Amino acid sequence: MAKHSIIYAWLILTLIAVLPSFANNIDPVNPTKTLNVPKLEFLKNYEGQNEIKILNNRFRVDYHVKEVMLLFFRKHGSKPIVLIQPDGSKIYPKDANAKTIEWHADISYDLIKLQDPMPGPWQAVGRILADSKILVLSDIELQADLFPSLMFQHEIIKAEARVINANEMIKAKSFNEVITLKASLYPSKDPEKENFGSDIYQFGEFLDNGKGLDERPRDGVFTIEYKIDTGYGEWIPNYRVNAQLFTRELEQEPVIILPSPVSFTAIPAEINEESGEVGRYHYVTFNVDDTYVDNLSLLFQGTIKFPNGDKQTFSIDGLQERRLEIFNGEFGTFKVEMDVFGTTKDGREIYLDLPEFQFVTVEPEIEYIELPEMTEMDTVVKKVAPPEPDFPLPLIILMNVLILAFGFLVIWLFVLKRNIKNPFAGLIKKKEKTPVEPETVEKPKTEKPEKKSPIVDESDDILDLSLPED
C-alpha cells in the first residue's frame, strides 16, 4: 500500500506541474458559441507531393520548390488577383517578365507560373473561388490508355486520359476549362513503311463533359472516341496536354493499322437476253478477311437507301449468308451503310464504322450492249432485209381533202336540202337568145309624178279664239 501511495502522489505532482503550461496555451472556450477555427494554417508541401494546400487564400511554398503553377479561379468578370510574397511585396499581372513570372489572366481565372518562388507564406487577394489549385509543375504527369498494337481502318476505339498530380488524378471541376488534351498519330519514321511521309492525323480533343462516350462530367477523366480513318501502315500515337503556361506530351510505342477486314461486291440484276426483262433483285455480298478476326463472331447491321429515298434496315449474324437481297424497283443510286461488331482472334472486341457503299443501276439500252461477235450478224441482217418504203404523206393529204369535200356535198344535199345549180345553164341560154335592134327597143316607161295638192292659204289655218262681246 505504501508503494502505491507513493506512485499516486508522484502522478498528482506531475499533473500539477504540467497543467499550468497547458492552461496558458489554450484559449478559454465559451460554451454558448461555436468552436473558433484558426484563420491561418500552413501545410507543408513534402517531397513527393505536388499540390500546395490553400486555406483562406493563403498557402506556403517550401524551399525545395523550383517551379510552381498557381491556378486561381475567380468570379466571372472580376479583376485579376494580387499576389503578396512572404516579405510583403506584391506581384501584379503587369510584373510578368516571361522569365521568372508568367501570368495569363482570363475572364474567370488567373494562371501564374513562378520560377524559384520565395519560400514562406504567400497570400492571394481577389474574388477567388474554392476550386483554385497550386501545383508544382515538375510533378505534373499525363497518363492515357494505350492504343491496341493492331487496329483496322474505320475502327472506333474509346480511350481515356488523365492529368496526374503527385500520383493522384486532378479532379478540380473547373480544371478542364484551363487545359486542352488532344491525341494524334504521327507517320512512321521508317522509309520502308507504306505511310512514310504521310501527314499527321489529328483525332480531336478529349472531353470531360459527360457526353458521347464520356461517362461522368467533370470527374477528371477525359474521354475521346477514335475513328481510324488513316492509311494503313505503322503509326506513332502522341498525346499532348496544353495550358497557357505549360505543356505535357506523351508518346507511345508504334502501332500497326491494317486495311478493313470487310469489303463489298455489288451484283446488279441480270437482263434476260431472250425476253429483254431485267431481274427483280440486286445482290451485295460481304467479303471478310479472317486473318486477324474471328469470322463467326461478326455481326452486320445497317441501312439500305433506295434511289427514291426509301430506307430498309437489315441485320446479319455470323451464321447467316453474307449477302443482301435488294429489290430492283427503280433505276438509280443504291447506298448501303453498315456497322460491324466482332472479336479479333486474340480476344479484343472491335467496332467498325464502314464508309458508305454505293452502286448505280441504269435502265438498259441498245447502246450499252457491247457484244463484238454480234456485230457481223447485224450487218448481214441489214443486207438481207428489204428497205422500208417512204411514208406517203402527199397521198394521205389528198385523201383527206377528198373525204372533206364528199362530206360537205352530203351535208349540202341531204341536210340542207338544196339543189346544186348547173354552172353551164347560163351559157346555153345566152347562145339561144337573138339580138334586138336598137330602134325597136322600147324605152322603159317612167311613172309620172303625182300632182301636187293645191296650196292652201296659210291664213285659213289660223283659229279665231276671241270671245264674243255681250
Side-chain angles (χ1 to χ4, degrees):
M1 292 293 294
K3 185 176 180 180
H4 290 291
S5 60
I6 293 172
I7 294 174
Y8 291 149
W10 180 79
L11 291 173
I12 292 171
L13 292 175
T14 303
L15 291 173
I16 292 173
V18 172
L19 283 175
S21 61
F22 280 103
N24 293 332
N25 295 330
I26 299 176
D27 295 332
V29 177
N30 188 348
T32 62
K33 297 181 179 180
T34 58
L35 186 63
N36 294 326
V37 179
K39 294 183 179 180
L40 179 62
E41 180 180 359
F42 295 129
L43 299 178
K44 186 176 181 180
N45 182 40
Y46 295 102
E47 289 286 351
Q49 299 179 356
N50 73 336
E51 182 176 343
I52 300 175
K53 302 296 181 181
I54 303 176
L55 184 61
N56 294 331
N57 298 350
R58 302 181 183 222
F59 58 95
R60 183 180 183 85
V61 178
D62 288 339
Y63 65 91
H64 66 274
V65 176
K66 301 300 180 183
E67 188 178 23
V68 66
M69 183 189 71
L70 293 78
L71 174 59
F72 287 100
F73 295 101
R74 47 184 166 76
K75 189 173 181 180
H76 188 83
S78 61
K79 295 181 179 180
I81 67 168
V82 178
L83 288 177
I84 302 177
Q85 300 187 83
D87 62 357
S89 60
K90 301 177 180 62
I91 302 178
Y92 298 91
K94 64 181 181 179
D95 298 326
N97 53 21
K99 293 181 179 180
T100 59
I101 301 174
E102 297 182 45
W103 198 308
H104 174 75
D106 205 293
I107 195 170
S108 59
Y109 67 87
D110 289 289
L111 189 61
I112 309 165
K113 185 168 71 171
L114 302 176
Q115 296 283 348
D116 297 324
M118 182 183 298
W122 288 65
Q123 185 174 354
V125 180
R127 306 183 71 175
I128 301 173
L129 302 180
D131 290 336
S132 301
K133 295 285 181 182
I134 299 177
L135 306 175
V136 179
L137 289 181
S138 58
D139 292 335
I140 290 182
E141 182 184 357
L142 174 61
Q143 293 183 358
D145 294 343
L146 291 174
F147 274 85
S149 58
L150 290 177
M151 296 181 293
F152 299 97
Q153 287 180 320
H154 316 304
E155 184 176 356
I156 302 294
I157 299 176
K158 174 186 176 182
E160 296 178 348
R162 307 158 192 83
V163 180
I164 304 300
N165 181 22
N167 297 325
E168 293 184 1
M169 184 173 61
I170 299 176
K171 297 182 179 180
K173 294 182 180 180
S174 301
F175 190 70
N176 58 359
E177 298 178 2
V178 181
I179 66 172
T180 57
L181 204 160
K182 297 183 178 180
S184 307
L185 284 179
Y186 283 78
S188 175
K189 300 177 183 178
D190 188 354
E192 297 182 357
K193 299 298 182 181
E194 298 88 344
N195 62 328
F196 176 76
S198 300
D199 294 333
I200 299 174
Y201 183 76
Q202 301 284 348
F203 281 115
E205 184 176 349
F206 285 77
L207 300 175
D208 186 17
N209 57 2
K211 299 179 181 180
L213 297 180
D214 189 58
E215 297 178 1
R216 287 177 292 275
R218 300 178 181 272
D219 62 348
V221 179
F222 295 82
T223 309
I224 193 172
E225 180 181 301
Y226 299 132
K227 185 171 183 180
I228 313 298
D229 281 340
T230 62
Y232 58 87
E234 184 182 73
W235 295 85
I236 302 173
N238 180 278
Y239 297 88
R240 187 179 182 88
V241 58
N242 290 318
Q244 292 294 333
L245 303 180
F246 77 94
T247 60
R248 289 292 182 272
E249 193 168 337
L250 174 65
E251 186 175 292
Q252 295 182 352
E253 293 296 325
V255 297
I256 302 297
I257 296 180
L258 302 171
S260 174
V262 180
S263 59
F264 303 94
T265 302
I267 305 175
E270 298 180 354
I271 302 175
N272 192 327
E273 296 181 358
E274 296 180 357
S275 61
E277 296 180 355
V278 183
R280 299 184 61 186
Y281 295 99
H282 308 293
Y283 297 97
V284 176
T285 59
F286 309 154
N287 309 312
V288 178
D289 181 4
D290 58 355
T291 306
Y292 299 98
V293 299
D294 183 4
N295 198 350
L296 296 179
S297 70
L298 297 181
L299 172 64
F300 303 87
Q301 181 177 340
T303 304
I304 303 171
K305 295 182 180 180
F306 293 88
N308 61 355
D310 293 341
K311 296 182 180 180
Q312 177 184 341
T313 59
F314 65 90
S315 179
I316 301 175
D317 59 25
L319 300 177
Q320 292 178 317
E321 184 181 7
R322 306 284 176 77
R323 188 174 73 166
L324 284 179
E325 191 177 68
I326 303 175
F327 180 71
N328 181 20
E330 57 276 327
F331 300 99
T333 302
F334 293 82
K335 302 177 182 179
V336 180
E337 296 178 350
M338 185 182 303
D339 295 332
V340 181
F341 305 88
T343 309
T344 62
K345 289 188 176 180
D346 57 2
R348 185 175 69 87
E349 298 291 334
I350 59 172
Y351 164 36
L352 303 177
D353 183 14
L354 299 180
E356 186 179 72
F357 175 73
Q358 300 182 2
F359 66 95
V360 181
T361 60
V362 182
E363 188 173 0
E365 296 181 4
I366 298 175
E367 289 78 7
Y368 295 145
I369 302 175
E370 298 180 0
L371 299 174
E373 62 275 11
M374 296 292 292
T375 316
E376 297 179 359
M377 184 182 298
D378 188 31
T379 55
V380 172
V381 171
K382 287 183 179 180
K383 292 180 180 179
V384 175
E388 296 181 359
D390 295 335
F391 189 73
L393 182 60
L395 180 60
I396 293 177
I397 294 175
L398 179 60
M399 293 178 64
N400 289 332
V401 171
L402 293 176
I403 292 172
L404 291 174
F406 180 75
F408 177 76
L409 181 62
V410 171
I411 294 172
W412 182 267
L413 295 176
F414 297 98
V415 177
L416 300 179
K417 296 181 179 180
R418 296 186 179 182
N419 297 326
I420 299 176
K421 295 181 180 181
N422 187 0
F424 302 101
L427 297 176
I428 298 172
K429 289 181 179 180
K430 286 182 180 179
K431 291 181 179 181
E432 294 177 354
K433 193 173 182 180
T434 58
V436 182
E437 295 181 357
E439 291 80 4
T440 57
V441 176
E442 296 181 357
K443 295 182 179 179
K445 296 180 179 181
T446 58
E447 295 181 359
K448 295 182 179 180
E450 295 180 357
K451 295 182 179 180
K452 296 182 180 180
S453 60
I455 300 172
V456 182
D457 190 7
E458 293 179 359
S459 62
D460 294 339
D461 295 335
I462 299 173
L463 297 179
D464 186 8
L465 297 179
S466 62
L467 296 177
E469 295 179 2
D470 286 316

